[in-house]
Amino acid sequence: GGHVDGAALHLGAQLLGRALQHGGQLARLFAQAREHGDDAREALLARQRRGQRRALAHQHQRVERVGAHRAVAQRLGRRLPFIIVSTFLGRSLWLLPVALPFLDLAPPQAVYFLVAVVAASSLIQSPAGPPWISLMADAVPERVRGRYFGLRNAIVGVVSQAVGLAGGALLDRLPEPLGFQVVMAVAVLFAWTGVHLYTRYHEPVVVRPRVGFTDSLLAPLRDPVFRRFLVFSTYWSASVWIGSPFVIPYFLKNLQMTYTQIAIWSAIG
């Protein structure tokens, strides 16, 4: 039951991730609808700026996790309510892009609207990461942790690939922008299901010594091995995430790939 709940919980997150990946293409739809070359170029430049902000936001999230989970858990007392509220609000914001075609925004404004949604969603959900890591460390016994997360990640991987292929096929068959609206609406529905499953989690009561936020944040940085790992991890993530947001627009604009082909490429990758 725990394995199935864990897989179902992250199904919504995986589907939402696929919707976010394709959601940025809504700006392209508006540019095509206006049929103005200048607007299309402006939308493309704005989309590139969104990709850069997405990469920087990812780096910020990685840094803020360092040592923060202990201080957050101590200050919150209980972690689950905070996780539930944060993830529910952050994922619910993706109902706004579903309504985007009805707002009659010009391409540049539509792009900035999507940037604002991504930024707000990330800002609201990112603080839930450290408490979730702390909760999983307490809830899953160390003797079975490797087996549990191995099975969980395998199930999530298979489901995410199937969902990606289904989403790509759906986008190719439904007219634009209806396909994007359906994919994102279904993603939010699964996300809400995942949030509901959080309410079934058991949060162990763990007594920890009180540690100040500054001490909790700086303690890992005093470890030279961790500092070297942090530098390598930051370099690796930067090399991947700075360029990765531009891959999908390149596939669509220059290679004229279909969404199904992109989904297959993502599954293979």
Side-chain angles (χ1 to χ4, degrees):
H3 299 311
V4 176
D5 286 346
L9 172 63
H10 287 82
L11 174 59
Q14 291 293 331
L15 185 55
L16 180 59
R18 296 292 181 180
L20 302 187
Q21 183 184 50
H22 296 304
Q25 303 307 318
L26 279 173
R28 181 175 63 86
L29 305 181
F30 288 103
Q32 292 175 344
R34 297 304 195 278
E35 294 183 352
H36 293 312
D38 292 340
D39 286 345
R41 284 191 292 271
E42 180 64 26
L44 179 60
L45 291 175
R47 182 169 57 192
Q48 291 173 341
R49 289 193 293 270
R50 180 177 68 86
Q52 293 171 340
R53 289 167 185 155
R54 174 184 172 189
L56 293 176
H58 177 77
Q59 293 303 315
H60 172 72
Q61 182 179 7
R62 293 183 67 90
V63 172
E64 72 177 2
R65 288 173 182 254
V66 178
H69 66 277
R70 287 180 294 180
V72 171
Q74 290 167 359
R75 294 179 182 275
L76 292 177
R78 293 190 61 206
R79 292 156 289 188
L80 268 177
F82 178 80
I83 293 172
I84 291 172
V85 172
S86 176
T87 53
F88 175 78
L89 293 178
R91 296 173 183 180
S92 297
L93 283 178
W94 278 92
L95 288 176
L96 296 177
V98 176
L100 186 55
F102 305 107
L103 300 182
D104 195 27
L105 297 177
Q109 283 71 38
V111 173
Y112 291 132
F113 180 86
L114 286 174
V115 170
V117 171
V118 172
S121 179
S122 299
L123 181 65
I124 293 173
Q125 291 189 85
S126 291
W132 184 86
I133 295 174
S134 175
L135 178 62
M136 291 297 98
D138 293 337
V140 182
E142 186 175 359
R143 67 180 183 276
V144 298
R145 194 171 296 161
R147 184 168 67 253
Y148 170 79
F149 280 101
L151 178 60
R152 166 191 171 275
N153 293 343
I155 295 175
V156 170
V158 172
V159 172
S160 64
Q161 291 182 9
V163 168
L165 292 172
L170 185 66
L171 289 174
D172 285 333
R173 285 164 174 76
L174 291 180
E176 298 176 339
L178 177 61
F180 291 99
Q181 293 174 291
V182 171
V183 168
M184 284 187 284
V186 172
V188 173
L189 179 62
F190 274 92
W192 285 344
T193 303
V195 173
H196 172 71
L197 291 178
Y198 274 134
T199 63
R200 301 176 58 185
Y201 270 41
H202 168 68
E203 181 174 0
V205 179
V206 179
V207 179
R208 293 188 176 89
R210 300 288 297 182
V211 180
F213 179 80
T214 302
D215 292 337
S216 178
L217 184 64
L218 296 180
L221 299 178
R222 300 188 184 103
D223 186 340
V225 176
F226 178 79
R227 289 200 301 269
R228 290 195 294 270
F229 170 76
L230 183 62
V231 170
F232 170 78
S233 178
T234 301
Y235 170 79
W236 178 267
S237 299
S239 65
V240 173
W241 284 95
I242 287 178
S244 62
F246 306 104
V247 173
I248 302 301
Y250 172 74
F251 286 168
L252 292 169
K253 179 178 176 60
N254 298 95
L255 302 185
Q256 300 297 313
M257 292 174 63
T258 67
Y259 293 112
T260 301
Q261 291 171 330
I262 293 176
I264 294 173
W265 174 84
S266 300
I268 295 175

